[in-house]
Amino acid sequence: IGNLGDMTLRALSVLVRAERTYCEDTRHSLKLFNHYGIRSALKAYHDHNADRVRPRILKELDEGLSVALVSDAGTPLISDPGFKLAGSAIDAGHTIISLPGPTAPIAALTSSGLPTDNFQFLGFLPSKTGARRERISSLRDAESALIFFEAPGRLSAALKDCYDILGDRRAVVARELTKMHEEVRRGSLSELGRWAETHKIKGEIVLIIAPGEPRQITDEEILVMLERELEPQSLKQAARDIAEELGVSRNRVYELGLKHLRKK
C-alpha cells in the first residue's frame, strides 16, 4: 500500500508538530514529507539499528519530547519493527497513540469478495518449504479467511503448497494496493498457481484464502468412537464426550448409540 493520497489529515497534523520523527527508510519517507511540504528532520529506525536507536528514543520520551513513528507504507507496527518500540515505551509508562489509516491486509480483504466477518492476519509465511508447509498445515481447520503477506519470488511456491494442503479453495492475490499498478486477481488456488508460474510477479503482495468448508462428520465415524467409548463409561457420558470432540449434536450421538446397543 502506498498512494500518497491515502494519508490522513490527522496524520499530517501530527507529523508537522512532532518534535522527533523516526521511519524505516529516510529516503522513502522523504518523498511523503516533500509531497506535503513537511520540513521536520527524519531519523531511521529499522531492524538493523533498532537495538541501538530504541534506548535513544525512550530517552527522548523521558525528556518530554513528542515522537512520531512512520512506516514505509501502511500502518506502523503491522509486520515492521515498531512493535518492540511501542512495547518498550508502554513499559516505561509513556502514552502511545495510534493514528488510524490505510493498511494492506484490510484493503485487500474488502476488495477480495471473500468473507470479511471472520479472518486471521498471519504476516509472512516462512520462506523455507518445510516450515511453510508446516505453518499452512496448522491452519487447515481454521474457520476464518487467512491473510498473508508474500514476496513475489515465493508466491508461486506458496500457492502450490496452499493448494496441496488446503485443497482448491477460493483465493485472491492483491498486488501493489493503492498504487499505480494495483491488481486484484481472484480465482481458485490452482488457477492462481498456474498464473503465478507463467508470469513475472512484482510488487507488494497480499494473499487471501477463503475458509474451508466445515467437515461433515458421518454416522460411521461416530459409531467407531462409540464402540471405543461405551466399554468404560455410560452411553450418556460417551455421547457427551464424543459430541464435544467432534463438534456434533449430543442428541445425534445418543440416538446412534441407542440404535447400536439395540442391535447387539
Side-chain angles (χ1 to χ4, degrees):
I1 208 160
N3 190 312
L4 291 171
D6 294 331
M7 197 65 174
T8 69
L9 294 175
R10 184 182 176 200
L12 291 174
S13 173
V14 166
L15 291 177
V16 167
R17 292 182 289 110
E19 294 169 287
R20 296 286 187 275
T21 302
Y22 289 86
C23 61
E24 290 183 77
D25 187 331
T26 55
R27 295 165 301 178
H28 192 97
S29 294
L30 189 60
K31 296 175 184 177
L32 173 72
F33 275 44
N34 287 340
H35 181 80
Y36 285 105
I38 301 171
R39 302 303 172 205
S40 307
L42 282 163
K43 299 186 178 187
Y45 178 81
H46 47 67
D47 278 327
H48 303 295
N49 73 356
D51 290 342
R52 175 168 47 84
V53 175
R54 191 160 52 247
R56 181 200 309 165
I57 299 175
L58 294 173
K59 184 173 184 295
E60 290 170 345
L61 290 170
D62 287 337
E63 293 169 353
L65 298 178
S66 61
V67 178
L69 178 68
V70 182
S71 60
D72 277 354
T75 300
L77 277 66
I78 305 298
S79 287
D80 80 25
F83 81 95
K84 290 183 180 178
L85 174 59
S88 297
I90 290 168
D91 290 343
H94 298 295
T95 300
I96 298 294
I97 299 173
S98 177
L99 306 185
T103 184
I106 300 303
L109 180 65
T110 52
S111 62
S112 69
L114 298 178
T116 58
D117 59 332
N118 187 9
F119 60 89
Q120 295 183 64
F121 171 63
L122 298 147
F124 281 92
L125 281 166
S127 58
K128 294 185 177 178
T129 302
R132 181 171 60 239
R133 291 180 68 89
E134 184 177 344
R135 183 75 173 110
I136 296 167
S137 294
S138 73
L139 300 165
R140 187 186 283 115
D141 296 327
E143 297 179 356
S144 58
L146 306 174
I147 307 177
F148 304 99
F149 286 155
E150 192 49 277
R154 298 198 301 262
L155 179 62
S156 178
L159 287 166
K160 181 181 184 305
D161 287 341
C162 288
Y163 169 73
D164 289 346
I165 296 166
L166 303 176
D168 208 11
R169 298 188 191 182
R170 290 186 299 152
V172 169
V173 173
R175 187 179 67 83
E176 290 293 272
L177 287 170
T178 80
K179 301 178 190 176
M180 183 182 298
H181 300 293
E182 174 175 304
E183 178 181 20
V184 178
R185 185 168 289 269
R186 305 171 182 89
S188 66
L189 282 169
S190 60
E191 290 168 341
L192 292 171
R194 287 192 292 271
W195 164 74
E197 280 182 349
T198 56
H199 290 75
K200 189 169 184 178
I201 314 297
K202 294 182 179 180
E204 306 287 337
I205 290 169
V206 181
L207 170 62
I208 308 178
I209 302 172
E213 294 296 324
R215 189 169 77 84
Q216 299 301 313
I217 305 298
T218 66
D219 288 352
E220 288 72 22
E221 289 177 90
I222 295 173
L223 286 168
V224 167
M225 293 191 70
L226 278 165
E227 284 278 7
R228 186 184 71 211
E229 298 293 333
L230 278 173
E231 282 295 325
Q233 59 187 339
S234 68
L235 173 58
K236 185 177 180 181
Q237 184 61 47
R240 184 183 294 113
D241 293 346
I242 293 169
E244 184 176 338
E245 182 173 343
L246 296 180
V248 297
S249 161
R250 188 186 306 174
N251 286 340
R252 179 186 173 191
V253 181
Y254 190 82
E255 290 299 322
L256 283 169
L258 284 177
K259 291 177 183 177
H260 175 69
L261 289 173
R262 288 190 194 114
K263 288 178 181 179
K264 281 192 168 185

